[in-house]
Amino acid sequence: MNKNNTVYIAAVVQASPIYLDLDATINKAVDLIAQAARQGAKIIAFSELFFPGYPWFLWLGTMDYMTPFIRRYHEQSMIINSLEYQRVQQAAKDNHIFISFGLSELDAASLYIAQVLISDKGETVYTRRKLKPTCMERVLFGEGDGSSLVVSPTALGNIGSLCCGEHLQPLSKYALYAQNEQLHIAAWPAFSLSGGEGSHVLSGEVNISVSQVYAVEGQCYVLVPCATVSRAAVALFCLDNNMKKTLSTGGGYARIFGPDGKLLVTPLQTDEEGILYAQLDLSSITMSKFIYDPAGHYSRPDVTRLLLDPNKKEVVIKSTDLPDNNVILQNDSGIEMSDK
């Protein structure tokens, strides 16, 4: 559906997961979902890796330190369509609300930074994986592919998602703009890391500005869910004072931006938990698009264009799945061709 006269309330969560406890975090999420639904929200968005919480241990110590956390993180990660996943689907159905959430997706023996959109009927609209884990995240997580750059038509408009540092990837952003994205979920972890040269790039000030720019560039509403780091999380991950200097409590920067970049909510304190609400009116996108539309009338495809491969990449292709009598060739440019 692509209606420009759709008006509804959206909600973003600023809250701490129960780190490394999937069941407890689902319980907390279900309560927040019901709370948002009672306030009339038609969609609620949770932070990057809300299930089972962001792996802050990746930034704090050596492999010896990380090993027990890695094992536990695998154990507490979520499998798509598992019983735990179905609990979130049921919460969407029971409360008649769309849910966007971030998760550590366990697929066979590998983990991926994933985002999911579930409809108000409890059905999966899409799942996606972060194309490139950021910096230390590459120790733990695999990569997505072009099938993760998806915008889906829904009753609430055309919805897409990216997480965290993906909002600093101009080509990935443009791939979503070009699909007429009307509502974007920009999911972030807490901004709680400090210390070291260049660390300001990880600050809330910088990255929330990036989310605001996304709204202006894409002329779309942007929901910015963001977690917080609880005292319990610092106690869990930090074994000494040096670690505590690197990871602090708080770090919440949840926001909602309009398609002209306007901040639509009063932010919570960075160490405060809660839900932010804003009324979205898709008809307001029209005037923003009238001024700027970099994937439409403001584009110059004769000068610059984006090449996007939207296909899912499988690690194994069975010969029985290939067309009969076809031989897969590859030219000097790396483009696959078929020949008989």
Side-chain angles (χ1 to χ4, degrees):
M1 183 177 293
N2 183 16
K3 290 185 176 180
N4 287 329
N5 61 348
T6 304
V7 179
Y8 56 89
I9 295 172
V12 296
V13 173
Q14 178 173 301
S16 173
I18 312 300
Y19 285 90
L20 300 187
D21 191 330
L22 179 58
D23 285 337
T25 302
I26 292 174
N27 290 339
K28 183 170 185 175
V30 169
D31 288 342
L32 291 166
I33 290 163
Q35 180 181 332
R38 288 194 296 269
Q39 295 299 316
K42 298 301 181 184
I43 183 169
I44 183 171
F46 290 85
S47 62
E48 180 186 35
L49 294 171
F50 192 77
F51 304 111
Y54 188 85
W56 296 109
F57 56 85
L58 294 175
W59 300 82
L60 295 176
T62 65
M63 185 59 73
D64 285 342
Y65 156 80
M66 289 192 292
T67 295
F69 288 113
I70 291 171
R71 290 174 174 168
R72 186 171 171 186
Y73 203 84
H74 272 256
E75 292 169 357
Q76 295 299 312
S77 291
M78 184 181 284
I79 299 172
I80 301 295
N81 295 325
S82 64
L83 292 177
E84 293 82 7
Y85 183 91
Q86 291 171 22
R87 286 184 61 196
V88 185
Q89 288 181 299
Q90 190 63 47
K93 184 177 181 180
D94 290 344
N95 292 282
H96 310 290
I97 189 172
F98 279 72
I99 303 173
S100 172
F101 64 92
L103 68 151
S104 171
E105 178 194 349
L106 177 61
D107 184 2
S110 292
L111 299 180
Y112 301 89
I113 300 173
Q115 284 173 289
V116 170
L117 180 65
I118 296 176
S119 76
D120 55 358
K121 295 179 175 59
E123 300 167 347
T124 299
V125 179
Y126 62 73
T127 65
R128 67 170 305 272
R129 293 171 175 173
K130 191 173 185 178
L131 266 68
K132 190 78 172 180
T134 302
C135 196
M136 297 304 296
E137 294 169 359
R138 294 171 207 162
V139 174
L140 188 60
F141 298 103
E143 300 179 346
D145 55 36
S147 66
S148 288
L149 294 176
V150 59
V151 173
S152 294
T154 75
L156 303 183
N158 301 330
I159 303 178
S161 307
L162 292 173
C163 358
C164 194
E166 290 185 302
H167 294 90
L168 289 141
Q169 286 282 9
L171 299 182
S172 296
K173 294 192 294 180
Y174 195 82
L176 300 190
Y177 300 158
Q179 296 176 63
N180 192 28
E181 188 179 29
Q182 296 170 301
L183 176 61
H184 177 75
I185 291 93
W188 298 85
F191 298 101
S192 296
L193 292 175
S194 61
E197 184 177 353
S199 62
H200 187 65
V201 75
L202 300 174
S203 68
E205 176 190 353
V206 168
N207 291 285
I208 296 308
S209 296
V210 171
S211 298
Q212 187 173 29
V213 168
Y214 192 103
V216 176
E217 285 185 342
Q219 301 85 45
C220 58
Y221 284 96
V222 176
L223 307 184
V224 188
C226 185
T228 63
V229 174
S230 61
R231 290 189 179 89
V234 172
L236 173 65
F237 295 124
C238 297
L239 305 185
D240 55 41
N241 287 331
N242 285 331
M243 289 184 178
K244 291 178 181 178
K245 291 178 182 177
T246 302
L247 181 66
S248 58
T249 58
Y253 279 79
R255 302 287 191 272
I256 300 177
F257 294 107
D260 57 358
K262 183 178 180 180
L263 179 62
L264 302 180
V265 294
T266 300
L268 300 167
Q269 296 296 313
T270 57
D271 59 352
E272 182 182 0
E273 293 198 354
I275 304 175
L276 298 176
Y277 302 91
Q279 181 171 283
L280 313 190
D281 181 353
L282 298 192
S283 68
S284 66
I285 293 174
T286 299
M287 287 310 298
S288 295
K289 289 285 188 184
F290 172 76
I291 298 171
Y292 298 114
D293 187 2
H297 65 76
Y298 207 53
S299 66
R300 282 296 303 274
D302 57 319
V303 179
T304 56
R305 286 183 290 173
L306 171 66
L307 176 63
L308 171 65
D309 181 356
N311 297 309
K312 184 176 178 61
K313 298 296 185 286
E314 302 290 351
V315 296
V316 176
I317 301 176
K318 298 178 182 178
S319 60
T320 54
D321 294 334
L322 296 174
D324 291 342
N325 302 319
N326 275 354
V327 178
I328 302 301
L329 305 176
Q330 193 173 69
N331 67 14
D332 291 339
S333 300
I335 299 174
E336 289 187 352
M337 303 176 296
S338 63
D339 191 18
K340 291 189 176 182

